[in-house]
Amino acid sequence: MTDFLSPAQVAEPTTDDPRQLYTDLLKKTLTRYAFGETWTPFQPRRRSLRGAVYRRGQRLLHQRGMELVLRFPFSAEAREDGRDWPPEAETMIGLRRLDNLEHCVRDVLERGVPGDLIETGVWRGGACIFMRAMLKAYGDHDRTVWVADSFRGLPKPDPRRVEDVEDALWSVPFLAVSMDQVKGNFRRYGLLDDQVSFLPGWFQDTLPQAPVEQIAVMRLDGDLYDSTDVALRSLYPKLSIGGYVIIDDYHAVRGCRQAVDNFRTEFGITDPLHQVDWTCRYWQRTH
């Protein structure tokens, strides 16, 4: 079982290697850990009277070069663990899960494990941006980073998936980010190029026929049972021996955990399931 990293280990680079320094800086930037963001634009409910008053007032403020924002306390520990939903950061997975992603990608690059990198469920694209940055830092010009998302939030779950219905993540507008915005975030870091490919649409429609031939690292962040299940069934057969499966929501979302456990049991997968932080788990395929 992987031990938790201490805050000091998370916050400080452990080498003078320029590649490590670059990825460390990028992790702190993508999460906004380095900036301790403490504000967010005020967004009242669209149809409320308060919202109508706000929009009229906001227009007046914009005419004067001003904006109404809300302040909130920044918690470094929560941002390390990926326990909050940041207003501006490109990722909400936190530093520990980015450390895990860095370990997995660097390992397959150094050992020459064949295959592309893919994330299913990308939100603002931060983890995919980081994977593309890893390829650039380590001089890999052959692999593709696949960015798979509906780009309109989570689908309404099957009523039979009681846990997913109760969690109601499909009803959270904050989780819906357009493909244009994600592409814009890649451009912000100078990382939108022909080594990045997008798979827009519901996973059930895109992943079974996805033009991905071989995978070295697959990171699943689809939250729901069916989203996790279709990703595993569609992509795991393409995962190279020695490659990695990362499950972002294993402990946090009941449907996700159930889908992973059922899949591993059905296909006799006994590779150890390692702990990254309070929710994320991963395993390395050995056969």
Side-chain angles (χ1 to χ4, degrees):
M1 186 70 71
T2 299
D3 295 330
F4 290 122
L5 295 174
S6 71
Q9 287 175 297
V10 171
E12 297 298 331
T14 57
T15 178
D16 291 331
D17 185 337
R19 298 172 299 183
Q20 179 71 49
L21 294 172
Y22 167 61
T23 56
D24 183 75
L25 177 61
L26 193 58
K27 285 183 286 187
K28 293 176 183 175
T29 304
L30 288 166
T31 60
R32 298 300 189 275
Y33 181 90
F35 309 113
E37 58 180 356
T38 57
W39 66 272
T40 182
F42 177 62
Q43 296 289 348
R45 278 196 236 169
R46 183 181 300 273
R47 297 182 181 179
S48 67
L49 176 62
R50 183 183 182 190
V53 173
Y54 158 77
R55 285 189 292 276
R56 287 197 295 270
Q58 192 75 309
R59 283 194 293 270
L60 293 174
L61 289 173
H62 284 164
Q63 292 172 5
R64 293 166 173 78
M66 303 169 67
E67 183 178 23
L68 182 64
V69 300
L70 296 177
R71 294 188 65 85
F72 67 94
F74 174 79
S75 168
E77 182 177 356
R79 197 58 58 90
E80 290 163 4
D81 284 344
R83 289 181 180 269
D84 62 354
W85 287 9
E88 294 294 327
E90 285 84 15
T91 182
M92 65 170 72
I93 70 175
L95 291 177
R96 299 181 196 275
R97 272 170 266 170
L98 283 175
D99 283 343
N100 166 251
L101 183 58
E102 180 177 20
H103 161 74
C104 294
V105 174
R106 184 172 62 240
D107 186 57
V108 299
L109 293 177
E110 291 179 345
R111 291 189 298 111
V113 176
D116 293 335
L117 317 176
I118 186 170
E119 184 177 42
T120 62
V122 308
W123 195 47
R124 294 175 181 158
C128 291
I129 292 169
F130 185 74
M131 288 193 287
R132 178 65 190 94
M134 287 285 295
L135 296 184
K136 184 176 283 289
Y138 285 82
D140 188 295
H141 304 290
D142 300 319
R143 302 177 198 253
T144 296
V145 174
W146 295 89
V147 186
D149 201 287
S150 71
F151 300 104
R152 47 187 169 133
L154 279 70
K156 192 171 183 177
D158 187 315
R160 294 172 297 177
R161 307 296 187 197
V162 177
E163 294 85 355
D164 289 338
V165 172
E166 290 177 347
D167 288 342
L169 293 172
W170 56 273
S171 65
V172 182
F174 186 73
L175 299 177
V177 180
S178 72
M179 187 163 66
D180 285 343
Q181 182 177 343
V182 174
K183 287 184 176 181
N185 290 339
F186 270 90
R187 290 191 190 95
R188 175 181 292 173
Y189 292 91
L191 294 170
L192 185 64
D193 58 18
D194 58 6
Q195 282 184 255
V196 180
S197 290
F198 289 79
L199 292 171
W202 302 123
F203 295 162
Q204 65 195 42
D205 300 324
T206 61
L207 296 183
Q209 295 83 32
V212 186
E213 296 181 1
Q214 197 170 21
I215 297 171
V217 176
M218 48 187 285
R219 188 176 195 283
L220 309 189
D221 196 358
D223 296 353
L224 308 180
Y225 183 101
D226 289 325
S227 299
T228 303
D229 183 68
V230 72
L232 285 168
R233 292 180 184 277
S234 301
L235 303 177
Y236 193 79
K238 301 178 180 181
L239 183 68
S240 299
I241 302 301
Y244 291 92
V245 184
I246 303 170
I247 310 294
D248 186 87
D249 302 298
Y250 182 82
H251 185 73
V253 183
R254 295 170 292 171
C256 171
R257 181 169 65 253
Q258 185 180 6
V260 172
D261 290 346
N262 289 350
F263 180 83
R264 283 170 57 91
T265 298
E266 179 180 349
F267 291 95
I269 298 171
T270 58
D271 297 322
L273 194 61
H274 299 288
Q275 181 176 358
V276 177
D277 60 8
W278 66 279
T279 178
C280 185
R281 303 293 186 269
Y282 77 105
W283 77 86
Q284 184 178 25
R285 185 174 186 179
T286 60
H287 60 276

